[in-house]
Amino acid sequence: MATPDEIPSAKRWLPLEANPEVMNQFLWGLGLPEDEAECCDVYGLEDELLAMVPQPVLAVLFLFPITSQTEEERLQQDNEKRDASSKVYFMKQTVGNACGTIGLLHGVGNITSEIKLQEESFLDRFFKSTASMDPLERAAFLEKDREMEVAHSVAATAGETEASNNVDAHFTCFTCVDGELYELDGSKSGPISHGASSPSSLLQDAAKVIRGMIQKYPESLNFNVIALSKKVAGLFAGSSWMHQRAIITHFLSLYLSAMAASLLPATTTSSLPSTLMISPIC
């Protein structure tokens, strides 16, 4: 979305669809090897549904509605002094509707020690070039980068929904750095720590924070959660994301049928949706 703190002369891109297949093609084309990591749907925040997400999870992206309440909270958080690890890769958002791309850059930028980017690819060059920059300098670097602008434009028009500048949703990213769970939102002044975490509990820890955020907006269904997972040998080794999605959808159908028949306990607060609504545009 177009964040309130964007400078008047800022560029505006088409919003990126909240679609793992689109995001995968986008990241793979920029230099994230296909056999290293991929984006996956998170179908719900109950333990049983989180267990279906391929592990290990490297980052979590959360799409949520923008309201007057979220803006008040953002301004309040910007006035609070926050300390973050110097190892956290964070950048501001100065390009309108670029929150999806900023979220993906935050996700990949904080796991460069855990994945191997293609040498001299866009992502490899981008993170090496911006490593010593501050958040605003990184934003300016991105804003002037024609290669990323073109790649984003291609990805934004590759989704299943018609791209529009008129959006009221925003992406943020959750990642674990130095044993802490950080929320990274380019519309905010800096990283926000949500307490202790670990690579093995990142998804569950992020889900706990996300559940709290969702509960603030009981009337809205405009939420989406996507995990960036490292590819490892196992159940999904060598399979495409579409094949993985078919398998997960099958087990999800069985799970929901069992829930409906009261064969499984409901583990989520009744006010939360049993599965996350697919909200395709950011």
Side-chain angles (χ1 to χ4, degrees):
M1 68 160 282
T3 55
D5 59 342
E6 289 165 8
I7 59 176
S9 60
K11 291 182 178 180
R12 290 178 65 82
W13 294 350
L14 287 172
L16 193 65
E17 187 173 87
N19 180 326
E21 187 175 2
V22 170
M23 291 181 169
N24 283 333
Q25 296 303 320
F26 181 49
L27 289 175
W28 294 340
L30 291 173
L32 175 65
E34 188 171 346
D35 59 358
E36 280 286 332
E38 66 180 350
C39 294
C40 313
D41 278 316
V42 177
Y43 289 100
L45 301 176
E46 299 91 338
D47 289 341
E48 292 84 353
L49 297 178
L50 294 177
M52 295 180 181
V53 179
Q55 295 285 338
V57 171
L58 303 173
V60 177
L61 277 73
F62 177 49
L63 179 71
F64 60 95
I66 291 297
T67 65
S68 58
Q69 182 180 347
T70 62
E71 288 310 297
E72 288 175 10
E73 291 180 357
R74 183 183 67 83
L75 293 173
Q76 181 180 353
Q77 290 173 335
D78 283 351
N79 291 326
E80 297 175 0
K81 181 178 171 63
R82 297 178 181 274
D83 295 321
S85 168
S86 60
K87 295 181 181 179
V88 176
Y89 184 91
F90 178 78
M91 62 187 296
K92 291 284 291 177
Q93 178 185 341
T94 57
V95 178
N97 295 330
C99 58
T101 291
I102 298 293
L104 291 172
L105 290 175
H106 277 148
V108 176
N110 284 285
I111 58 171
T112 52
S113 63
E114 301 174 54
I115 58 174
K116 184 175 177 56
L117 298 173
Q118 293 174 1
E119 288 288 337
E120 292 303 311
S121 65
F122 174 86
L123 291 176
D124 182 54
R125 288 183 280 107
F126 181 84
F127 291 121
K128 286 178 179 177
S129 298
T130 61
S132 60
M133 295 182 183
D134 65 30
L136 277 173
E137 290 172 334
R138 290 166 178 164
F141 188 91
L142 176 68
E143 188 172 343
K144 296 174 183 176
D145 196 295
R146 179 63 179 164
E147 183 179 352
M148 171 57 89
E149 184 175 355
V150 171
H152 175 100
S153 178
V154 170
T157 55
E160 298 174 355
T161 55
E162 184 177 353
S164 167
N165 279 319
N166 241 347
V167 294
D168 58 357
H170 184 70
F171 261 123
T172 191
C173 175
F174 293 91
T175 188
C176 177
V177 180
D178 269 2
E180 284 193 64
L181 176 68
Y182 285 100
E183 177 186 343
L184 306 176
D185 184 337
S187 72
K188 297 181 179 179
S189 59
I192 298 174
S193 173
H194 287 283
S197 185
S198 68
S200 62
S201 66
L202 168 59
L203 179 60
Q204 289 73 18
D205 296 334
K208 181 178 179 180
V209 176
I210 291 170
R211 280 194 290 266
M213 295 174 72
I214 290 177
Q215 285 180 319
K216 295 178 182 178
Y217 315 104
E219 303 303 317
S220 178
L221 292 175
N222 193 24
F223 303 101
N224 190 286
V225 181
I226 293 174
L228 177 62
S229 298
K230 186 173 177 62
K231 280 196 172 182
V232 295
L235 175 63
F236 296 132
S239 62
S240 68
W241 166 239
M242 294 302 291
H243 181 225
Q244 296 177 26
R245 188 169 188 171
I247 295 173
I248 293 174
T249 301
H250 172 69
F251 283 107
L252 175 62
S253 177
L254 294 177
Y255 169 75
L256 293 178
S257 296
M259 286 269 297
S262 299
L263 296 178
L264 288 175
T267 59
T268 295
T269 305
S270 59
S271 62
L272 296 184
S274 59
T275 57
L276 293 172
M277 188 75 171
I278 299 300
S279 305
I281 287 292
C282 168

